[in-house]
C-alpha cells in the first residue's frame, strides 16, 4: 500500500530518469566552435543630417578593407586591420583611417563584431536592404543616426567612435562570408 506522496515521488523520479537518459543519448551539438571570416568588400557612409538620406552640409563615402594582421586567413577572434579609405564627399571628417580591431562572429545572433578596447561594433545580417534600394542585400550592416527612423538603425555603432558629433548618421557595410571550421 502506498503512503501519502509516494506516488508523486515515483512519478518525479521517473521523469528525471527519462530526461537524464534523453540528454545522455542525444547527439552532440553540431554547432562548430570556430569560424573563418572571408572579407569581400565594405563601405562606410556618413551624413551630418542624422539620417541616411539628406544632408545639411556634408555626406561622405568611404571604402573599407579588412585584412588579417597574421597569416592569410581571418578566424573569429583574430586581430585585423580595418582600413578606411576616403572615396567622395564634402571633406573627410574622421581622423583615424587605420584601426587595429578584434574581429568575431556570434552564430546565435548572426552578427559580425569588430571590437577595440571598450568599443564593440555589431553588424547585423541584412537579407534585404530597404534603405539603399537593395544595394546592400546580404551584407552585415551597422548603422545609427540621431534623426534616423527605426528601420534605418541596425546593429550597434555610433558616430562618436569615429570622432564625429553624436547626432551624425554613420553606416558601415561588410560583405563577408562566414565559414564553419570543424
Amino acid at each position: 500500500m502506498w503512503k501519502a506522496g509516494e506516488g508523486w515521488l515515483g512519478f518525479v523520479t521517473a521523469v528525471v530518469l527519462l530526461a537524464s537518459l534523453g540528454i545522455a543519448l542525444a547527439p552532440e551539438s553540431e554547432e562548430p566552435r570556430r569560424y573563418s571570416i572571408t572579407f569581400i568588400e565594405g563601405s562606410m557612409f556618413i551624413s551630418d543630417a542624422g539620417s541616411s538620406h539628406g544632408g545639411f552640409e556634408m555626406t561622405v563615402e568611404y571604402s573599407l578593407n579588412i585584412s588579417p594582421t597574421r597569416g592569410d586567413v581571418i578566424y573569429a577572434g583574430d586581430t585585423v586591420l580595418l582600413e578606411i579609405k576616403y572615396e567622395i564627399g564634402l571633406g573627410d571628417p574622421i581622423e583615424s583611417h587605420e584601426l587595429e580591431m578584434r574581429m568575431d562572429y556570434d552564430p546565435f545572433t548572426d552578427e559580425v563584431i569588430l571590437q577595440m578596447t571598450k568599443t564593440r561594433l555589431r553588424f547585423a545580417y541584412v537579407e534585404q536592404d530597404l534603405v539603399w534600394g537593395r544595394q546592400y542585400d546580404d551584407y552585415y550592416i551597422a548603422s545609427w543616426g540621431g534623426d534616423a527612423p527605426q528601420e534605418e538603425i541596425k546593429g550597434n555603432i555610433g558616430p562618436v567612435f569615429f570622432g564625429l558629433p553624436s547626432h551624425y548618421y554613420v553606416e558601415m557595410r561588410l560583405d563577408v562570408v562566414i565559414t564553419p571550421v570543424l
Side-chain angles (χ1 to χ4, degrees):
M1 185 164 240
W2 295 94
K3 293 183 181 177
E6 284 183 345
W8 181 248
L9 181 61
F11 173 75
V12 170
T13 303
V15 168
V16 169
L17 288 173
L18 287 173
S20 298
L21 181 62
I23 291 171
L25 295 177
E28 287 189 33
S29 171
E30 294 183 24
E31 187 68 36
R33 296 187 179 164
R34 194 152 189 209
Y35 297 88
S36 70
I37 304 169
T38 305
F39 175 79
I40 309 297
E41 68 177 1
S43 61
M44 180 171 154
F45 174 76
I46 296 172
S47 171
D48 66 345
S51 63
S52 66
H53 292 76
F56 300 116
E57 296 176 2
M58 184 204 61
T59 61
V60 185
E61 276 282 343
Y62 297 88
S63 62
L64 303 176
N65 186 52
I66 295 176
S67 56
T69 57
R70 288 186 287 153
D72 297 326
V73 179
I74 300 171
Y75 292 103
D78 282 355
T79 301
V80 297
L81 181 64
L82 170 64
E83 297 171 281
I84 304 170
K85 182 181 175 195
Y86 173 82
E87 293 292 331
I88 190 167
L90 300 173
D92 181 6
I94 65 171
E95 294 178 16
S96 297
H97 289 83
E98 289 187 1
L99 303 169
E100 197 169 285
M101 303 184 83
R102 181 173 170 245
M103 188 169 209
D104 217 336
Y105 174 69
D106 184 341
F108 300 106
T109 59
D110 193 16
E111 291 180 320
V112 171
I113 301 154
L114 286 173
Q115 184 172 325
M116 187 171 90
T117 56
K118 295 180 182 180
T119 302
R120 179 178 289 174
L121 309 179
R122 296 182 76 89
F123 296 79
Y125 177 74
V126 176
E127 188 173 340
Q128 293 184 357
D129 168 38
L130 302 178
V131 175
W132 300 103
R134 302 195 60 180
Q135 182 177 354
Y136 301 106
D137 284 0
D138 299 317
Y139 276 61
Y140 286 85
I141 299 175
S143 56
W144 187 89
D147 293 322
Q150 191 61 40
E151 62 269 13
E152 288 185 5
I153 298 173
K154 295 173 182 46
N156 183 33
I157 196 169
V160 175
F161 176 73
F162 300 98
L164 301 169
S166 62
H167 70 279
Y168 273 35
Y169 180 84
V170 61
E171 177 172 312
M172 291 181 80
R173 313 144 184 137
L174 304 176
D175 185 8
V176 297
V177 175
I178 309 296
T179 307
V181 178
L182 300 176

